[in-house]
Amino acid sequence: MMPLGMASVGDTNIIRKITGKDEVRQHLAELGFVVGEQITVVSEIGGNMILSVKDSRIALDKTMAMRIMV
């Protein structure tokens, strides 16, 4: 397992675990970041990661991405 923030552009991973406070995990779940979901790193721009999850593209800052374990 590694934090999503360390994944390279083009990598496709499965979410294994989400760490952090309940409200952080809830917020990520509402965006579609749930355990077992497939996620792809589309690009990385200025400390933000553009991620593809559930047919959506979502920008997430690196600190949030570090809470998602893949």
Side-chain angles (χ1 to χ4, degrees):
M1 260 194 332
M2 70 171 184
L4 179 62
M6 299 184 78
S8 304
V9 172
D11 281 3
T12 298
N13 295 291
I14 303 292
I15 298 173
R16 305 277 178 222
K17 183 180 177 188
I18 297 175
T19 64
K21 296 183 181 136
D22 285 349
E23 59 265 23
V24 170
R25 292 201 312 263
Q26 179 66 38
H27 177 65
L28 289 171
E30 286 167 1
L31 293 173
F33 299 99
V34 290
V35 172
E37 193 62 45
Q38 186 169 303
I39 187 166
T40 305
V41 180
V42 178
S43 63
E44 200 174 324
I45 307 162
N48 291 323
M49 300 183 87
I50 309 297
L51 305 164
S52 175
V53 62
K54 289 189 176 175
D55 299 325
S56 299
R57 286 196 173 187
I58 297 171
L60 209 59
D61 75 356
K62 251 326 189 0
T63 54
M64 288 293 258
M66 293 303 263
R67 294 184 175 146
I68 301 171
M69 298 298 195
V70 293

